[in-house]
């Protein structure tokens, strides 16, 4: 089951915004950030490699770059392929609509606000951005896992359905 992050929490070092790689071991903490920061203006990241000329202008906000890349990404309409991923990406669509096509078997699914997607290392997909789309993402290197061509998508209704009872976390009070 997915672990849900609220838009009010983001990993950040306690020492005045330094990235985790700039701080000494043990100094990393969690700070809060207003959702307006993640839903507001984003930095221009240019056009997406592999898209047709003039398509897929991207912008974003890095929330954390080490050890797992986390951020907000926005893209204008267009399409591009991501073949043989060298990492694993987890996505939650915040706004807009995309169609994700598995390049191995041709299956596809449209995703919109609240829908999630996990693209494991080794999979190959095509992103068709149908309208300006903003997503929350995490990218993990996952170098110890065997590559796979399959991936997982779930609509917000599927994600918000019945959850399994995992019991209490060790050390947590009832």
């Amino acid at each position: 089951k997915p672990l849900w992050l609220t838009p009010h929490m983001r990993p950040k070092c306690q020492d005045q915004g330094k990235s985790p790689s700039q701080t000494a071991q043990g100094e990393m903490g969690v700070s809060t950030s207003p959702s307006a920061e993640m839903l507001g203006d984003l930095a221009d990241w240019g056009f997406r490699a592999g898209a047709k000329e003039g398509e897929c202008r991207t912008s974003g906000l890095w929330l954390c770059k080490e050890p797992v890349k986390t951020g907000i990404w926005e893209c204008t309409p267009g399409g591009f392929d991501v073949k043989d991923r060298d990492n694993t990406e987890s996505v939650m669509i915040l706004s807009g609509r995309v169609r994700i096509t598995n390049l191995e078997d041709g299956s596809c699914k449209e995703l919109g606000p609240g829908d999630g997607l996990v693209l494991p290392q080794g999979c190959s997909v095509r992103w068709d951005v149908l309208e300006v789309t903003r997503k929350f993402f995490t990218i993990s290197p996952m170098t110890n896992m065997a590559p796979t061509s399959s991936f997982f998508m779930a609509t917000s209704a599927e994600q918000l359905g019945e959850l399994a009872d995992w019991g209490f976390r060790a050390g947590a009070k009832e």
Side-chain angles (χ1 to χ4, degrees), residues 6-12 31-38 61 63:
T6 68
H8 303 290
M9 307 227 15
R10 80 171 179 175
K12 181 178 165 188
S31 67
T32 60
S33 175
S35 60
E37 183 176 338
M38 291 190 278
L61 169 69
L63 300 174

Side-chain angles (χ1 to χ4, degrees), residues 27 61 66 80 86 120 131 147 152:
E27 289 185 18
L61 169 69
E66 296 288 336
F80 56 91
D86 64 354
E131 58 188 61
F152 173 76

Side-chain angles (χ1 to χ4, degrees), residues 7 48 50 58 66 72 81 129 143-144 146 155 158 161 164-165:
R48 175 64 169 83
T58 63
E66 296 288 336
I72 304 296
D81 294 344
V129 180
T143 56
N144 294 340
T155 65
E158 292 167 330
D165 182 0

Side-chain angles (χ1 to χ4, degrees), residues 74-75 93-99 110-115 128-135:
E74 187 172 271
C75 187
I93 304 296
L94 300 175
S95 62
R97 295 206 67 72
V98 298
R99 181 175 42 249
E110 283 192 23
L111 302 174
D115 294 341
D128 286 300
V129 180
L130 306 175
E131 58 188 61
V132 174
T133 297
R134 188 174 286 211
K135 69 179 182 181

Side-chain angles (χ1 to χ4, degrees), residues 2 9 34 50 57 76-77 79 82 88-89 101 121 149 160 167:
M9 307 227 15
R57 182 166 201 84
T76 62
V82 178
T88 295
E89 180 178 19
T101 303
Q121 180 183 6
S149 62
L160 297 175

Side-chain angles (χ1 to χ4, degrees), residues 12-33:
K12 181 178 165 188
C13 295
Q14 296 170 341
D15 190 11
Q16 301 175 357
K18 290 183 181 177
S19 72
S21 61
Q22 294 173 312
T23 60
Q25 187 174 1
E27 289 185 18
M28 185 183 233
V30 174
S31 67
T32 60
S33 175

